[in-house]
Amino acid sequence: MRCLVLLSVLLATPALAAIEDLQWLSGCWRYDNEANGSGEYWMPPAGGMMLAVSRTVRAPRATTFEFMRIAETSSKSLALFASPSGKPATQFDLKRVSAREVVFENFAHDFPQRVIYRLTGENALLGRIEGINNGKTVGVDFPMHKTQCEFLR
């Protein structure tokens, strides 16, 4: 019984991590299957946060963009704050983090409810969003490769 109580406390406790644990996410990442100029730029950790921008280009225009921030919360954990296409930021709380993966969740959000970044190779990153959309479980992958930041031009 005592183990069950401890397990339930651990599952309810937010994951703890330092922003420096996400250093591996910093840099310029080009979306594999999109036009030039499509991708994400994550600034290195500084001042207790990481900032990022993303954009998807489908010639001749950008079709989507997003501002993102990973920062420490009042509970001393980390959260991802995502503002797609100029909308107000939505907070996704840290679920787990390792040297190659970070998972954020917000089950009160419409879609997505989960945001995942996972290193899949030396210079390969998979961004993934998951959740329930129109009653169906949906996952969308964003494979990326590290590149020179010049792709932003």
Side-chain angles (χ1 to χ4, degrees):
M1 181 69 169
R2 189 176 298 190
C3 290
L4 223 70
V5 171
L6 180 59
L7 180 60
S8 65
V9 169
L10 289 174
L11 291 175
T13 304
L16 298 177
I19 193 68
E20 291 76 16
D21 294 339
L22 297 178
Q23 174 67 39
W24 55 265
L25 184 57
S26 57
C28 291
W29 300 93
R30 187 186 186 295
Y31 292 143
D32 287 353
N33 302 312
E34 298 292 345
N36 285 337
S38 298
E40 298 184 9
Y41 171 56
W42 281 93
M43 296 174 71
M49 69 173 62
M50 293 178 73
L51 298 174
V53 293
S54 74
R55 123 182 112 189
T56 301
V57 175
R58 301 225 167 96
R61 307 184 78 76
T63 57
T64 62
F65 67 94
E66 187 166 13
F67 300 109
M68 296 164 285
R69 172 174 53 101
I70 299 173
E72 189 175 287
T73 65
S74 60
S75 63
K76 303 298 183 207
S77 187
L78 297 176
L80 168 70
F81 300 86
S83 301
S85 300
K87 294 180 182 174
T90 299
Q91 180 174 333
F92 295 85
D93 294 322
L94 180 67
K95 176 66 177 177
R96 69 179 179 268
V97 65
S98 71
R100 299 185 63 84
E101 181 183 62
V102 62
V103 179
F104 298 96
E105 293 180 342
N106 178 344
F107 290 111
H109 189 248
D110 55 2
F111 183 83
Q113 289 94 38
R114 183 176 293 122
V115 179
I116 303 164
Y117 284 97
R118 179 181 307 126
L119 284 175
T120 58
E122 186 176 334
N123 291 309
L125 179 70
L126 179 67
R128 181 173 171 83
I129 56 174
E130 299 176 342
I132 306 295
N133 194 13
N134 295 322
K136 290 182 168 180
T137 301
V138 178
V140 181
D141 290 336
F142 299 91
M144 301 174 245
H145 278 83
K146 198 160 230 179
T147 186
Q148 296 293 321
C149 290
E150 296 169 357
F151 89 90
L152 295 171
R153 290 191 226 168

